[in-house]
Amino acid sequence: MTEAPASPPSAPDHLGDPEGSRPGLWNVANLLTMARLVLVPGFVLLLVHGDGHDPAWRSFAWAAFAIAMITDLFDGELARRYGLVTDFGKIADPIADKAIMGAALVGLSGLGDLPWWVTIVILVREIGITLMRFWVIRHGVIPASRGGKLKTLTQGVAVGMYILVLTGPLATIRAWLMGAAVVLTVATGLDYVRQAIVLRRAGLAAQAARAQAQAQAQGSQGRAQGHGA
């Protein structure tokens, strides 16, 4: 699977901007992120209400999960398009994404509807990649690939189908869809690790080259001053 080449961050970071030109905390993108965070405990309560297998309550839980997934599609795009990127958004957005997906996976496994190994594989990948993103962020950003976007979509649809109480062919379809989500999760995770290592090596090499060039320039300046003395 091929991802787009690594590139420097395209969204404005607003470093050095006048205070008044920076986006405020209470912008629409951040509000959507906050709403997704608030939905997490409500979703969990709906999912485990009663014995956790009431079709009606599971439908309500699915609605909360669907709303969270929809807000995830819009908040990042709004932030980048309208210059609403903030430090809060950079931190809270991935946390909100992992929180709602993690709550769904753990809740479903706790109810016995989803094997624990599936939950562990997905969560280890998602948390690990988030940590790796912070590890390489000063060297550049690895843009989302088609595979990564397909992984997110497949995960969301599969988990959503597991939240609903389904039987017969639909239950079989969701099992196959979850299998595809696991395969995409692992494959895109390994590819992300590869690109992150390449990006970090390139960044370190560039830093070393700049340091060497600076040292040579200082040496040349020192020699010129010595000759002029």
Side-chain angles (χ1 to χ4, degrees):
M1 180 166 39
T2 303
E3 293 198 356
S7 61
S10 59
D13 59 11
H14 305 287
L15 293 178
D17 287 357
E19 189 67 29
S21 66
R22 299 179 184 177
L25 173 65
W26 301 100
N27 62 64
V28 63
N30 284 348
L31 288 175
L32 288 174
T33 300
M34 294 176 193
R36 196 156 70 257
L37 285 169
V38 171
L39 273 174
V40 174
F43 162 76
V44 172
L45 291 175
L46 292 170
L47 181 65
V48 302
H49 185 273
D51 65 354
H53 293 94
D54 182 275
W57 287 101
R58 292 285 286 262
S59 296
F60 294 143
W62 177 86
F65 181 81
I67 292 172
M69 291 295 99
I70 291 172
T71 61
D72 181 31
L73 295 175
F74 288 105
D75 58 357
E77 179 64 26
L78 288 173
R80 290 186 292 270
R81 179 173 297 183
Y82 297 104
L84 301 177
V85 177
T86 63
D87 291 337
F88 170 83
K90 292 176 184 178
I91 296 172
D93 184 64
I95 290 176
D97 297 343
K98 304 305 180 286
I100 189 67
M101 183 60 70
L105 291 168
V106 171
L108 290 169
S109 293
L111 292 171
D113 294 334
L114 186 67
W116 274 106
W117 70 265
V118 173
T119 293
I120 292 171
V121 167
I122 293 177
L123 289 185
V124 167
R125 186 271 190 197
E126 298 299 337
I127 295 172
I129 294 304
T130 298
L131 294 176
M132 186 166 292
R133 190 184 299 274
F134 287 110
W135 181 53
V136 301
I137 189 67
R138 66 193 181 97
H139 300 296
V141 174
I142 299 177
S145 67
R146 291 183 179 178
K149 293 177 181 178
L150 180 60
K151 180 271 303 181
T152 300
L153 176 62
T154 307
Q155 271 188 11
V157 174
V159 171
M161 292 183 72
Y162 269 88
I163 292 172
L164 293 170
V165 178
L166 302 177
T167 58
L170 288 177
T172 302
I173 291 173
R174 74 180 181 183
W176 281 100
L177 194 60
M178 182 59 75
V182 171
V183 171
L184 288 169
T185 295
V186 174
T188 56
L190 292 175
D191 193 55
Y192 193 100
V193 171
R194 178 190 63 79
Q195 292 194 67
I197 293 173
V198 171
L199 179 60
R200 185 173 186 273
R201 286 177 178 173
L204 292 175
Q207 287 180 354
R210 286 194 297 269
Q212 183 178 6
Q214 184 178 9
Q216 291 175 347
Q218 291 176 346
S220 299
Q221 184 179 6
R223 286 193 297 272
Q225 291 176 349
H227 289 309

